[in-house]
Structure formats: C-alpha cells, structure tokens
Amino acid sequence: MAKRYTVENVISMIMDGNSSDLEQLGEDEDEDDGEEEEWTPNATLTEGSSESSDEEDFRDETVKQTSAEVEGPTTTTQSTTTKQSAECKDKRKEYRWRKVEYEPPAVEFEECVEEASEERCEWTPYMYFKQFVTDEMLQEIADQTNLYSVLGMYTHMGLVQMPNVRAYWEMETKHPTVCDVMSRDRFLKFVSDDAKKDKLWKLRPWLQKLQEQFLCIPPEECHAVDEMMVPFKGKSHLCVYMPAKPHKWGFKIWASAGQSGFLYDFDVCQGAENPDKEKSDVGVTGDVVLKMTSTLPTGKNHKVFADNYFTSVPLLEHLNGRGIHYIGTVRMNRGRGSWDFRVNQDNNIIVRWCDNKAVNLLSSFIGIEPVGNVKRWDRKSKTHIMVPRPAIVEAYNKFMGGVDLLDMLSALYKFSFRSRRWYMYIWWHTVTVAVINAWNLFRRDQKKLEPQMKLMALRRFQASVGTSLTSAGKGRIKLPPDVRKDGTDHFPTWETRQRCKHCTGNHFSHAYCWKCKVHLCLNKDRNCFFAYHRAK
C-alpha cells in the first residue's frame, strides 16, 4: 500500500535533502527503498534535461494535510478508533505537489485612495504626531495639560539619557527642558484609571484608539507580520521569555508593518484568549497573521511576508481567498547557488535555495523567475563570487524587514525608565511608535511635495514634537512655530518696529505677539496677527 504523506513530510523531503522518498513518489512503494542517497538540488531546470522525467513522477501523487506521521501498510488488527481517525483525516484537503513550471498569478497592486498630501503641506512635526495621538485619547488617560507635558518630557528624556529619573531634577544634573515643566513628585504620580476586566484594562482605551488612528493611513503594498518585544524584567503575567530575541524578557506585541517601518496594526499578546476554542486549520500563529491582515482591503493584491513561525499552506489559501498574497520561510534544517521547488494544485510553490545554509520559502505569488545574482564570499578561492538567487528570495529579503526596522527606530531615542507599573512600559512604547509613524508620514509627504529638500532626521523631529508638547497651552516660554495655533495667551503688545513675520511683502509693524515673540501686522489694511494664529 502506498505511503501517506503530510505537508511536513513533503517539505522535509524537499528541504532536508532526503531524496529517496521524494524522487520515488510515482513509483511502486512496495519495492525495497535500499540505501538512501543524498539529495542535491539542481541549479538550473531546462527543457530536455533529466528533470523532465520528474514531472511525470509527481503528476498524479497526492499529499494529505494532516498531522499524522508517515503511515506504513495497514494491518488487520487496527482498532475502530484508528479507522475513525483515518476517515476524519481523509476529509481534509489533499495537496498534490509536482515539479511543474510555476505560473505566477497577476498581482498588480491597486493602491488605496489616499487623502491629498497637499492638505498637510503646512503641517509641523507636532501636527503629524497629533494625527495619531489625539486630544480625545489624552483626555481619557489624564488631565490634558498634564499629559501633554509628560509626553514632551519623555521625548526629551529619550534624547538626553541619565542614570535614573530623579537625576533630571537633581541640582548637579538637572535638565531644564524636563525639570522646568513639572515637579518630580507630580511627574512620578502620573497615570491612573478605573479597573476593567482584561489584563490591559488601564491601557485598553488608549490602545484601541491608537490602533484606529494608525489604520486611518492607507496601507502600503507590502506588509511584514512579526513580533515586537517591549523590554521588561519585572513581575507581570504578560511578561514572556524569548531566548532568540535581543531583549529576551518583555512583553510580546504582534505587529504588521510596511516596508517603511510604519506600524499599521498591532496587538499585545496575552496568551491563549480562549483555551476551549476549536483549533483553526491555520494554527494559533496562522490566526495571528489573519488577525493582523484582517484590516487590509480585500482584492487589492497586498503582499504579506512572515517567517517560519507563522507559515503554513492553509494560511496561504485563506489569504488568497481575500486577494492577499504571501511569502514566508519554512521550518527546516540545512549548500549555495542551487535550488529546487514543488508546486501544488492551488499554484502555491515551495522553494529551497542553498546559500551558506538552506533557505526554505513558501509563496502564493512569486517563484524562481526572474533569477538574479548576489555577491557572496567564497572561502576556498578567497574571493567574492556571484551566486544565482531566485526572485522569491530577493522579494522576501526586500520586504520582510518592516517590523525589524520599526524596532531599530524605536530603540534609537527611547527613554529607558524604571517603574513597578508594568503597563507603563507598553504605553510608552506605543507613544514611541506613534512618533515614528508621524515621522514616516511626514517624510512620505515631504518626498511628494518637496523631493529636493533634505529629509528631517528622526532626532530633530522628536525634539520638535517634545518641545511642542511641553509648550502647548503655556506662556512665557520660547515656543516652536506650531504652538502659534494653540489659541492660548497670544496677546498683541507695542514694541520697536520690525519686519512682519507673516507678510509675503516687505511690511513692518509695531504689533508684537507676547507669546510667539514675533512682529505681525495689525491695522485696517492687514490683519496678519489673526492670519498667523488662525487654527486650520
């Protein structure tokens, strides 16, 4: 009787170099397999080569998507339970993996209609930040003025690192942009809320509305789904240990980020939400990808990239049903420049490419062609050589790093504080991400409207946002330009005549804004004072 293969078996045979079963899938399984030969993938597959016979070998073979081991011949002593189990498995979908030419589907991206960038042409960094962190969100957490100051203080603390929080107020080390805004004791008592059901009840309104604000931005074509870690070593039921991460202890956040590092969707991992829930055919990790991509519009040909922690064939089918395409690595062990592949009846392709070690990928929209080249160091010849690289590998390397880029940017100017309130670490991480998203949106608009202008660095952008937050609604402080529209304490005074700050012409005025420290026309012909402070 023929052996029964799971998808894991097929991938193992393709990826691990176990060729005896893989290459004999159309032959009589009752014959003695004999000694197994090491499978070596072919660097090229051309018509008329010996590989043509393999296509016939795989033409009529089936692979069943089950979790069972490879089964041997059926015996007469099988129990009724085993038979029922086998019948249940037979109902699952069968996959036929063949060595045939892969035909990529049409995947031209239909870009979402975005609001005109011209509407934001006069926006400042502070206004971009407020695109995601709104007044309503701040009002729900604490008093609006107090929270503005705390946010601004945190952003400045991220730029000027000190041994501990109290050092910003101590006489020898005090930092004016922090200690002049708020007293130390008032700062340390920040954040309180009413109790709610889930473990993130203190942050739930904040997280939900921040997520809504992120999703208002039209999504990019390519998205990476991965984990983010918020470092934390204190006591919390949500804290996890992940030895493969740079920060091994902390809170795990599922994230969907674009190629630019813009975070579109996220969810703080709280473990199994419902242990009694029936298991999905895509698995727990596959459900994460489905959840992170549930907010993407259907039928726009978005591309999703993920690592081997999430990848499965049923996941590809679910995403294909919504017009979303996928590339992901596959869990396997272990050449260079050579490859091999298999295609199933749903036009999904499994590819193994041999670099320093085997790279294994599963895709629903891109295969081997067009083959490019990549430079690699050859130890034997002690020189660089050009190694063939399939298109699927190039695409994965190009678009998979969105979440990693976001992690890198988050760590650049993030204030490292200590608190017994574990939820503060998650809250502050989301604020940091909001600043980065605002910076990404600012850069995106700047490239469209003023492509010749040098892009603003994240450090300067964060400093501008921090200054605006600590200055909004306050007087007698040297303010950045965007605070002119906060509607608070802008009084005209009479000063020495100087050039108007707002006029396009060469006009002079004695009128002077007490808060903004600028001269503005204020007469029967021109009211630049009103125009300059008018909030749009």
Side-chain angles (χ1 to χ4, degrees):
M1 180 178 177
K3 290 184 180 179
R4 182 174 297 172
Y5 293 90
T6 67
V7 169
E8 289 79 8
N9 298 143
V10 172
I11 296 175
S12 297
M13 290 182 290
I14 294 176
M15 310 303 179
D16 287 342
N18 183 357
S19 65
S20 59
D21 284 335
L22 179 65
E23 297 178 350
Q24 302 298 328
L25 276 179
E27 301 179 2
D28 188 359
E29 294 293 344
D30 292 331
E31 294 179 5
D32 184 16
D33 289 339
E35 184 179 353
E36 292 186 352
E37 297 178 28
E38 183 179 357
W39 178 70
T40 304
N42 297 283
T44 57
L45 299 174
T46 59
E47 293 184 5
S49 67
S50 60
E51 291 301 321
S52 61
S53 60
D54 289 336
E55 297 184 10
E56 297 177 1
D57 290 341
F58 290 93
R59 187 163 297 150
D60 300 320
E61 294 307 318
T62 61
V63 180
K64 301 202 174 184
Q65 170 76 9
T66 71
S67 58
E69 299 293 334
V70 178
E71 297 180 2
T74 307
T75 64
T76 56
T77 58
Q78 282 185 311
S79 64
T80 305
T81 303
T82 305
K83 292 180 180 179
Q84 292 175 349
S85 178
E87 291 175 0
C88 179
K89 292 169 186 173
D90 287 339
K91 293 180 181 179
R92 301 193 182 186
K93 184 168 182 178
E94 297 178 344
Y95 297 96
R96 293 164 43 234
W97 297 93
R98 303 179 296 168
K99 192 141 185 188
V100 297
E101 184 177 354
Y102 179 69
E103 298 180 3
V107 293
E108 185 176 353
F109 178 59
E110 298 179 23
E111 190 171 358
C112 299
V113 178
E114 184 178 0
E115 71 279 11
S117 301
E118 288 77 7
E119 297 179 5
R120 299 191 291 258
C121 62
E122 295 185 0
W123 279 25
T124 62
Y126 172 72
M127 298 169 73
Y128 275 94
F129 177 73
K130 291 297 296 292
Q131 169 82 12
F132 305 113
V133 180
T134 65
D135 288 333
E136 182 183 2
M137 293 167 59
L138 301 177
Q139 190 66 40
E140 286 190 1
I141 293 184
D143 176 73
Q144 181 175 342
T145 303
N146 185 50
L147 187 55
Y148 268 56
S149 299
V150 171
L151 289 176
M153 292 165 74
Y154 270 126
T155 55
H156 280 297
M157 289 174 171
L159 297 170
V160 182
Q161 303 284 342
M162 289 197 179
N164 55 60
V165 176
R166 296 176 182 271
Y168 291 94
W169 284 267
E170 293 173 354
M171 286 297 294
E172 296 80 4
T173 58
K174 68 178 181 179
H175 192 60
T177 57
V178 175
C179 65
D180 291 349
V181 175
M182 185 184 298
S183 69
R184 182 194 65 192
D185 292 340
R186 185 182 175 196
F187 175 81
L188 294 176
K189 291 179 180 178
F190 170 65
V191 173
S192 64
D193 200 350
D194 296 329
K196 295 182 180 177
K197 294 181 179 179
D198 70 322
K199 298 173 184 176
L200 291 166
W201 60 268
K202 287 181 180 289
L203 295 176
R204 186 57 61 193
W206 168 274
L207 295 176
Q208 288 178 342
K209 294 198 173 181
L210 186 66
Q211 187 180 36
E212 291 172 3
Q213 296 302 118
F214 288 173
L215 292 173
C216 288
I217 303 302
E220 301 171 43
E221 178 180 2
C222 299
H223 290 248
V225 175
D226 208 345
E227 306 146 336
M228 289 195 304
M229 285 292 288
V230 181
F232 180 72
K233 291 186 178 180
K235 294 181 179 180
S236 171
H237 294 296
L238 299 183
C239 189
V240 298
Y241 175 69
M242 301 189 70
K245 296 291 184 180
H247 298 284
K248 296 175 172 51
W249 289 96
F251 304 106
K252 181 163 66 173
I253 298 179
W254 305 118
S256 174
Q259 182 187 6
S260 64
F262 191 101
L263 180 66
Y264 290 96
D265 204 353
F266 67 93
D267 185 35
V268 181
C269 179
Q270 300 190 59
E273 297 181 0
N274 186 1
D276 299 329
K277 182 181 177 181
E278 184 179 353
K279 291 184 179 180
S280 168
D281 59 341
V282 299
V284 176
T285 55
D287 284 336
V288 172
V289 177
L290 294 180
K291 184 175 182 179
M292 291 294 99
T293 57
S294 62
T295 51
L296 292 178
T298 300
K300 299 292 185 180
N301 287 327
H302 284 280
K303 285 82 177 177
V304 176
F305 300 78
D307 61 23
N308 53 38
Y309 187 63
F310 305 92
T311 305
S312 69
V313 179
L315 175 61
L316 268 69
E317 292 185 350
H318 279 269
L319 294 176
N320 277 338
R322 295 187 51 228
I324 298 174
H325 306 280
Y326 181 92
I327 290 181
T329 53
V330 182
R331 286 182 183 240
M332 287 299 138
N333 310 323
R334 341 162 217 160
R336 173 182 278 187
S338 55
W339 64 79
D340 205 349
F341 67 94
R342 296 296 183 272
V343 181
N344 72 3
Q345 71 270 34
D346 294 324
N347 205 34
N348 299 324
I349 183 171
I350 298 175
V351 177
R352 178 176 72 170
W353 178 62
C354 294
D355 194 13
N356 292 329
K357 60 180 181 179
V359 179
N360 318 298
L361 300 108
L362 183 63
S363 170
S364 63
F365 75 98
I366 189 169
I368 292 172
E369 301 296 337
V371 178
N373 289 293
V374 62
K375 184 184 289 187
R376 290 290 185 266
W377 177 258
D378 184 62
R379 293 181 180 179
K380 293 182 180 180
S381 62
K382 298 188 183 301
T383 184
H384 285 97
I385 61 174
M386 300 305 293
V387 175
R389 179 177 63 179
I392 185 174
V393 180
E394 182 181 4
Y396 182 84
N397 290 340
K398 184 177 181 180
F399 298 110
M400 180 54 201
V403 177
D404 293 334
L405 176 60
L406 177 62
D407 277 339
M408 182 273 289
L409 294 172
S410 300
L412 285 178
Y413 309 113
K414 184 178 180 180
F415 171 60
S416 299
F417 65 94
R418 293 195 176 192
S419 174
R420 293 182 179 179
R421 294 169 292 178
W422 56 267
Y423 52 84
M424 288 293 293
Y425 290 81
I426 299 176
W427 174 80
W428 175 233
H429 189 81
T430 60
V431 173
T432 303
V433 170
V435 173
I436 295 169
N437 272 7
W439 177 65
N440 270 320
L441 185 60
F442 173 78
R443 285 163 59 92
R444 186 187 305 178
D445 290 343
Q446 195 174 0
K447 287 179 182 178
K448 290 182 180 179
L449 301 174
E450 302 178 55
Q452 304 301 325
M453 183 177 291
K454 184 179 179 180
L455 297 175
M456 182 183 292
L458 177 59
R459 176 180 57 82
R460 290 183 54 211
F461 185 92
Q462 182 169 323
S464 178
V465 171
T467 301
S468 300
L469 286 168
T470 55
S471 303
K474 296 181 174 63
R476 297 191 179 277
I477 299 177
K478 189 175 180 180
L479 305 175
D482 50 289
V483 181
R484 72 177 189 255
K485 297 179 182 179
D486 66 359
T488 304
D489 292 342
H490 294 279
F491 300 114
T493 60
W494 190 265
E495 295 289 343
T496 306
R497 182 173 173 267
Q498 291 187 23
R499 183 176 281 105
C500 176
K501 177 72 174 178
H502 184 71
C503 278
T504 55
N506 191 23
H507 300 290
F508 289 78
S509 175
H510 288 281
Y512 178 78
C513 179
W514 175 82
K515 181 176 182 180
C516 297
K517 315 297 184 189
V518 294
H519 285 75
L520 298 163
C521 295
L522 184 58
N523 53 53
K524 65 183 182 65
D525 298 320
R526 293 179 306 278
N527 191 348
C528 295
F529 193 94
F530 172 77
Y532 182 81
H533 295 102
R534 182 178 59 186
K536 293 184 180 179

